[in-house]
Amino acid sequence: MKTSKSVLLAVAFIALAILGGALYLQHYQDMQPCPLCVIQRYAFAAIALICLICAGLPAGAQKAGAGIGILAGLGGAGTAIWHLWVIAHPAVSCGRDALEAPMNALPPATLLPSVFKVDAYALCSTPYDPILGLSIPQWSLLWFVVLLVILVATLFKRNSRY
């Protein structure tokens, strides 16, 4: 059975790889992030950061880290579900609205604008071409679910004494 530390490090690696994929789509495929995309990026970054920090802590804290990571994953999954709803109902707008300015004023958007800055003209209802049959929010939701399952299993894993 894998240790909680190795599982947390694997989850952090997966979350960082997903962020890398999002940056590739943004900078090389010209798919600019909307506010909901950036919120999902924050959730993946939070999962990665929490898992990296907690991987170096004692076993009890690692389980607590898995629990906190679950909360970040639930927030990200909820955002992805809302994003899918917006795509299914294009009349709903979340692009050029009041959410853009406060998100761009957050410290991560100022320090890492290429990762966390909302594009002024990106609409959440923009129909980008699917990747392997799934839209970007569908991929995001899929990975949030995968990470949630792993974190829940880590949280409820029994500690062995040998």
Side-chain angles (χ1 to χ4, degrees):
M1 190 101 190
K2 298 284 184 195
T3 65
S4 294
K5 178 179 181 174
S6 62
V7 172
L8 290 174
L9 289 174
V11 167
F13 175 77
I14 292 168
L16 291 172
I18 292 166
L19 284 173
L23 292 175
Y24 170 79
L25 292 174
Q26 176 183 347
H27 295 292
Y28 294 101
Q29 299 298 317
D30 200 32
M31 296 180 177
Q32 297 306 311
C34 68
L36 293 177
C37 296
V38 173
I39 291 171
Q40 292 169 72
R41 287 182 184 188
Y42 276 118
F44 281 119
I47 291 169
L49 187 61
I50 290 164
C51 289
L52 283 174
I53 291 170
C54 292
L57 299 175
Q62 289 176 0
K63 287 195 180 271
I68 297 168
I70 289 168
L71 294 176
L74 288 172
T79 304
I81 290 168
W82 175 250
H83 198 169
L84 290 169
W85 192 87
V86 168
I87 289 173
H89 301 88
V92 176
S93 175
C94 71
R96 296 179 204 131
D97 65 354
L99 188 59
E100 177 190 338
M103 287 187 65
N104 285 341
L106 292 172
T110 313
L111 295 172
L112 294 169
S114 64
V115 180
F116 296 114
K117 189 167 178 104
V118 176
D119 186 274
Y121 298 102
L123 297 175
C124 296
S125 57
T126 301
Y128 288 119
D129 291 333
I131 301 167
L132 298 175
L134 297 176
S135 68
I136 295 170
Q138 287 171 327
W139 277 111
S140 182
L141 179 59
L142 174 71
W143 280 107
F144 278 122
V145 169
V146 167
L147 295 179
L148 281 167
V149 167
I150 294 169
L151 290 171
V152 167
T154 302
L155 181 64
F156 292 109
K157 183 183 90 168
R158 300 178 106 209
N159 288 334
S160 60
R161 298 278 180 204
Y162 49 91

